[in-house]
């Protein structure tokens, strides 16, 4: 994947549109992304991640965070556009987050939905639109890139802080990070699936055992008390003979049930006859009791009805009087409404007169209306005075503005004069600075040509010395392997000779009486050979042969390893003697005869050249800054001159404008003095007239309302008196006292109707003949009849239940016996399946005895990935640390943590192996950088070999010394061998002198911007 161009608009700290040309930056292979803290260096990487995945890296995707820039104008939408090549296709992806935009109609904002667009480039047809769907674009890019967002942020945007924590983390924390990067969820799913299958198989076995036990319990319940001494319930599951005992016991129970069936039939017939007779007697007694009780209730109700008759007559009369008074109610309501309206009008009139002057307290409505009209006319004539007053205020504001502008222009002229006085000296100094920097650049190029060969010779000398020790170790290993191979060969030959000596006894062991001998063919074996002392069998000989072959393989590998180390040592020796010459393939003896320059001599030469080159490079790095300073100074010189001339022209124009405003203001002040009088302003005078008009209008309306309500009250009094007389009342007060509301009238009517309904019901029940005849008979005895019936019914149910139980017992016992036999047959395969699944689940979960390291399946896979990462990281770590450090993977269990995810560092200076958490700050940085680059290679292979042509490394370089920084930059620069470009994100000033191609992020008041330094 290669990035070509990035366009950022209103995103993060960037208020306007910014363009990043990655093609130009990547041409040098190594470029620097720098700027002050908070300028937006990381926001450039966030924009790349947002364009590809629709979200910024997870650590910066906080809840409620907005991607829109606070510096952007409201009408400029937030947008990120990225052009890249991935999977052999050139694409352009454009994304906009959900953001507010101004409404097209009216004021305010509306929320714009997130948008995405994807285009592809065709050499013949140009750019072609591919999709506008968020889901389709996300799936297409994820498939082409071959990594999730988390993997991309770890592999392409290398976060050094995360890998430094990874080096110091425990096994659990490493497991979580590696699990996210390599997506080992499928192995965890296998573990869970096996555990789930084991639980299911175990549940099925347990369920089958429980079903057999339940069937035994059900057989015991079905058998009842018959043969209780032979019940098999006391036996436990798994004991022999349980099923046979259940079947035998069921047969005995069925025979006994058939014998009792005939007895139950006879008992049931007699019980049913007795039940029918008792039922008839019970029904007769219940009917007699009901009629006698009904007659007694009728007598009680008649007595109570006569006692309530006076109350019924009173309610009847009160209800009739209330209905007459209802005809007077409308007139009463009209009288009350008229009285209330008249009182309210009187109160309003009193309030209005209290606000009028004393001479108008008793004025009539006509006079008040005339005064209101006259004041309204005077108020309408003040419009011209209002405009004059507004113009006078505007003139005062304009005069103040002219004074402020005059003071500002005077300050501008003074500042320009002071700056222009020292222009000649500044101009000459900047030109001299440019000339000095150009001379230093020429000397730095010459030193750079000498420094690279010197560094290669120093590195070769270090390898030569390290490989010399490896040659000695390989020779010692080869000698030991040769000695071990000779011993194994002699052991094998000795055992083979002893076995051949006693081969007759070995053949005799296989003789069978009556069967012919394989050697002589005889069927008789009178004196077979026997084994002597120290007999060697075939298995012992084969083990010795296997050990001999293994030792020979070890010796061959040791010889091969010695040859490889000697070749590498000869090549390093030749390169250390002459870095520009070919690497001669000399032997160890030749290398020892001419040791070549020492490491200390070469290191002194490199340090001297590096110091001289750094000094000249530091001076040369100021060339661009000096030219920019000269250009800026010349632009400022021209700007100062233009500002001074503009200020002088504006001063002349202000003088004439000020005189015209003074003349206009004098005329307006005379006109306003005549209109305002004692008031402070025309507006105050108009407000006073407005209040007078409102008071006069309110008072006139209050007088008219009071007169009208008085007239309506008088008319209501007459109507009320006439209505009371027609309804039969002497006075309206008497009619009002008799009035009842609707609820009270309904209550009276309900009482009257209830009494009349009760009287009719009592009369009907007195006419019933059968109740009178029942009252004349002796009292009924239903309780005694009920007891006899219940006894007969219970006997019938018991007989029926006994018959049904006896009839059902045989069939139930036969059915349960068959089910028990079927369950025992089905249990065998289920138990075998459970044992097989339980063994697999234990191996995957790390709990089985067969799993020697007690590692879960997912941890085993992660350990293999970590071993690959450590191997890939070691190649770069050894170069960064000058061959001192090597990363190794450890699968040992430490404390209570899980095994397989340990990470140690081997120190070649001390030969000791220690935990990565003991590294210093600078050592941790280049160790974490090597780990990040190694992880990038492994994850790239895991993702299907996707090519990553652009990488970014974020911060951490400030903890390195100059020599280590050079070695780290050499490693990063070597990535160009794979046609990769590496962007370093840092604000370390020393990197700006070492890396000429830069992308600078500038922090400004209007928002950040980017500048290319190519």
């Amino acid at each position: 994947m290669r990035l070509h161009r990035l366009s950022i608009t209103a995103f993060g700290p960037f208020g306007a549109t910014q363009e990043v040309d990655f093609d130009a930056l990547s041409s040098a292979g190594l470029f620097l992304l720098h700027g002050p803290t908070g300028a937006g260096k990381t926001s450039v990487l966030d924009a790349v991640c947002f364009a590809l995945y629709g979200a910024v890296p997870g650590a910066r995707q906080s809840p409620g965070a907005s991607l829109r820039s606070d510096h952007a104008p409201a009408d400029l939408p937030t947008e990120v556009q990225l052009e890249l090549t991935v999977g052999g296709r050139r694409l352009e992806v454009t994304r906009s987050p959900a953001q507010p935009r101004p409404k097209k109609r009216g004021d305010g904002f509306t929320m714009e939905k997130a948008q995405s667009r994807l285009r592809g480039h065709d050499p013949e047809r140009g750019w072609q639109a591919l999709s506008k769907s968020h889901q389709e674009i996300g799936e297409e890019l994820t498939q082409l890139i071959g990594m999730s967002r988390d993997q991309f942020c770890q592999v392409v945007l290398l976060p050094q802080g995360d890998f430094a924590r990874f080096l110091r983390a425990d096994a659990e924390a490493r497991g979580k990070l590696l699990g996210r990067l390599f997506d080992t969820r499928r192995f965890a799913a296998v573990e869970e699936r096996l555990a789930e299958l084991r639980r299911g198989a175990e549940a099925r076995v347990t369920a089958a055992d429980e079903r057999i036990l339940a069937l035994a319990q059900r057989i015991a319940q079905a058998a009842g008390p018959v043969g209780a001494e032979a019940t098999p319930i006391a036996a436990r599951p798994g004991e022999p003979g349980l099923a046979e005992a259940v079947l035998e016991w069921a047969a005995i129970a069925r025979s006994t049930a058939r014998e009792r069936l005939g007895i139950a039939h006879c008992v049931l017939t007699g019980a049913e006859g007795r039940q029918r007779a008792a039922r008839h007697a019970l029904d007769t007694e219940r009917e007699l009791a009901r009629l006698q009780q009904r007659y007694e209730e009728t007598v009680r109700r008649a007595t109570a009805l006569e006692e309530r008759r006076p109350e019924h007559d009173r309610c009847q009369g009160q209800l009739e009087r209330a209905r007459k008074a209802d005809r007077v109610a409308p007139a009463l309501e009209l009288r009350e409404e008229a009285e209330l309206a008249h009182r309210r009008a009187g109160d309003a009139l009193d309030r209005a007169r209290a606000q009028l002057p004393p001479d108008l307290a008793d004025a009539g409505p006509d006079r008040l209306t005339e005064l209101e009209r006259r004041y309204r006319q005077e108020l309408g004539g003040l419009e011209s005075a209002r405009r004059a007053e507004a113009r006078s205020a505007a003139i005062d504001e304009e005069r103040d503005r002219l004074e402020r502008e005059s003071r500002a222009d005077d300050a501008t002229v003074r500042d320009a004069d002071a700056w222009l006085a020292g222009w000649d000296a500044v101009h000459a100094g900047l030109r001299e600075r440019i000339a000095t920097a150009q001379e230093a650049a020429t000397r730095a190029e010459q030193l750079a040509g000498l420094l690279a060969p010197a560094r290669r010779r120093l590195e070769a000398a270090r390898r030569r010395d390290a490989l010399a020790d490896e040659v000695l170790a390989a020779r010692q290993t080869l000698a030991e392997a040769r000695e071990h191979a000779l011993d194994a060969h002699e052991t094998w030959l000795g055992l083979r000779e002893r076995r051949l000596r006693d081969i007759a006894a070995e053949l005799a062991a296989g003789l069978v009486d009556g069967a012919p001998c394989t050697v002589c063919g005889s069927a008789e074996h009178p004196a077979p050979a026997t084994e002597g002392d120290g007999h060697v069998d075939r298995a012992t000989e084969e083990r010795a042969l296997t050990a001999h072959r293994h030792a020979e393989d070890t010796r061959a590998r040791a010889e091969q390893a010695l040859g490889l180390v000697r070749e590498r040592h000869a090549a390093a020796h030749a390169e250390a003697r002459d870095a520009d010459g070919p690497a001669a393939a000399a032997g160890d003896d030749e290398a020892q005869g001419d040791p070549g320059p020492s490491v200390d001599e070469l290191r002194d030469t490199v340090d001297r050249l590096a110091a001289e080159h750094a000094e000249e490079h530091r001076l040369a790095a100021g060339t661009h800054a000096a030219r920019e300073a000269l250009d800026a100074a010349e632009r400022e010189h021209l700007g100062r001159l233009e500002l001074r001339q503009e200020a002088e022209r504006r001063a002349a124009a202000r003088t004439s404008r000020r005189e015209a405003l003074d003349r206009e203001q004098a005329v307006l002040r005379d006109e306003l003095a005549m209109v305002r009088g004692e008031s402070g302003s025309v507006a105050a005078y108009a407000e006073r007239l407005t209040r007078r008009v409102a008071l006069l209008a309110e008072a006139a309306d209050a007088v008219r309302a009071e007169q009208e309500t008085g007239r309506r009250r008088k008319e209501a009094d007459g109507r009320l008196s006439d209505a009371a007389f027609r309804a039969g009342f002497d006075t309206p007060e008497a009619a009002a006292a008799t009035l009842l509301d609707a609820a009270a009238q309904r209550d009276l009517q309900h009482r009257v109707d209830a009494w009349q309904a009760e009287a009719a019901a009592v009369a009907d029940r007195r006419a019933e003949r059968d109740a009178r005849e029942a009252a004349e008979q002796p009292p009924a005895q239903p309780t005694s009849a009920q007891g006899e019936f219940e006894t007969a019914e219970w006997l019938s149910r018991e007989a029926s239940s006994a018959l049904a139980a006896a009839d059902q017992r045989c069939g139930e016992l036969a059915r349960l016996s068959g089910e028990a036999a079927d369950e025992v047959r089905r249990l065998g395969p289920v138990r075998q399946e459970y044992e097989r699944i339980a063994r697999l689940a234990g191996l995957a979960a790390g709990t089985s005895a067969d799993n020697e390291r007690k590692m879960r399946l997912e941890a085993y896979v992660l350990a293999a990935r970590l071993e690959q990462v450590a191997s890939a990281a070691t190649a770069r770590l050894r170069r960064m640390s000058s061959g001192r450090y090597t990363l190794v993977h450890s699968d040992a269990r430490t404390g209570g943590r899980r095994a397989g995810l340990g990470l140690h560092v081997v120190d070649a200076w001390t030969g000791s192996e220690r935990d990565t958490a003991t590294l210093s700050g600078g050592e941790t940085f280049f160790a974490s950088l090597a780990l990040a680059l190694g992880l990038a290679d492994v994850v790239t292979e895991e993702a299907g070999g996707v090519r990553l042509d652009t990488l970014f490394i974020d911060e951490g370089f400030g903890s390195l010394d100059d020599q280590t920084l050079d070695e780290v930059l050499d490693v990063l620069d070597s990535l160009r061998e794979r046609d990769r470009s590496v962007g370093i994100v840092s604000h370390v000033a020393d990197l700006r002198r070492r890396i000429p191609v830069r992308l600078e992020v500038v922090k400004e008041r209007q928002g950040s911007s980017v500048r290319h330094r190519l």
Side-chain angles (χ1 to χ4, degrees), residues 425-449:
V426 171
H427 188 261
L430 290 174
R431 289 189 174 277
E432 182 178 356
R433 179 182 170 188
I434 292 174
T436 301
Q438 289 176 344
E439 293 176 359
T442 301
R443 292 192 297 273
E445 291 180 359
Q446 296 172 353
L447 291 171

Side-chain angles (χ1 to χ4, degrees), residues 606-825:
V606 169
D607 291 344
R608 177 179 55 79
L609 292 175
E612 294 176 359
H613 177 266
E615 179 62 23
E616 298 299 333
H617 190 273
R618 183 185 64 80
L619 296 175
T623 304
H624 185 68
R627 288 176 177 173
E628 287 188 343
L630 178 59
D631 294 340
E634 291 177 346
R635 290 194 298 272
E636 187 173 1
H637 177 258
L638 295 176
R640 297 273 185 172
L641 292 177
E642 293 177 357
L643 287 175
R644 191 176 187 281
Q645 295 172 359
E646 288 291 335
E648 292 175 350
R649 287 195 295 270
R650 288 194 298 270
R654 276 194 300 272
T655 301
S656 60
R657 178 60 179 167
R658 190 180 293 111
E659 293 174 354
L661 292 175
D662 291 342
R663 291 192 297 271
E664 185 178 1
Q665 183 70 282
V667 174
L668 292 175
R669 287 176 179 172
D670 294 341
E671 179 181 350
L672 291 174
M674 295 174 62
V675 175
R676 288 186 292 208
E678 298 179 357
S679 300
S681 64
V682 175
Y685 182 65
E687 183 180 359
R688 187 170 64 178
L689 288 179
T690 302
R691 286 198 302 270
R692 289 179 181 177
V693 169
L695 291 175
L696 291 172
E698 182 181 359
D701 293 340
V703 172
R704 295 189 186 94
E706 195 273 340
Q707 293 175 354
E708 177 64 22
T709 56
R711 182 184 60 78
R712 288 200 299 268
R713 185 182 62 175
K714 186 176 180 181
E715 292 177 356
D717 288 338
R719 293 178 182 175
L720 177 60
S721 298
D722 185 53
F725 177 75
R726 287 197 301 271
F729 295 97
D730 296 336
T731 63
E733 290 75 9
T738 312
L739 277 174
L740 292 176
D741 57 12
Q745 291 187 24
R746 286 194 300 272
D747 183 60
L748 290 174
Q749 185 65 49
H750 290 162
R751 293 181 183 181
V752 172
D753 294 342
W755 191 90
Q756 293 176 353
E758 180 68 10
V762 169
D764 292 339
R765 295 182 68 170
R766 279 182 177 276
E768 295 177 352
R769 180 179 177 181
D770 53 353
R772 289 198 308 271
E773 294 176 352
E776 296 173 356
Q777 297 181 11
Q781 300 294 329
T783 304
S784 176
Q786 178 68 29
E788 294 180 0
F789 172 74
E790 290 177 353
T791 301
E793 187 179 24
W794 178 80
L795 292 174
S796 177
R797 285 198 305 271
E798 288 296 318
S800 179
S801 298
L803 178 62
D807 186 52
Q808 183 182 5
R809 185 169 286 115
C810 279
E812 184 69 11
L813 290 175
R815 183 181 64 81
L816 291 176
S817 299
E819 291 182 5
D822 294 340
E823 287 295 336
V824 171
R825 285 194 299 271

Side-chain angles (χ1 to χ4, degrees), residues 13 15-16 18 36 38-39 71 1001-1011:
Q18 303 295 325
H71 302 282
V1001 182
V1002 182
K1003 181 165 57 176
E1004 300 173 346
R1005 183 179 294 274
Q1006 297 80 14
S1008 299
S1009 60
V1010 299
R1011 298 177 182 174

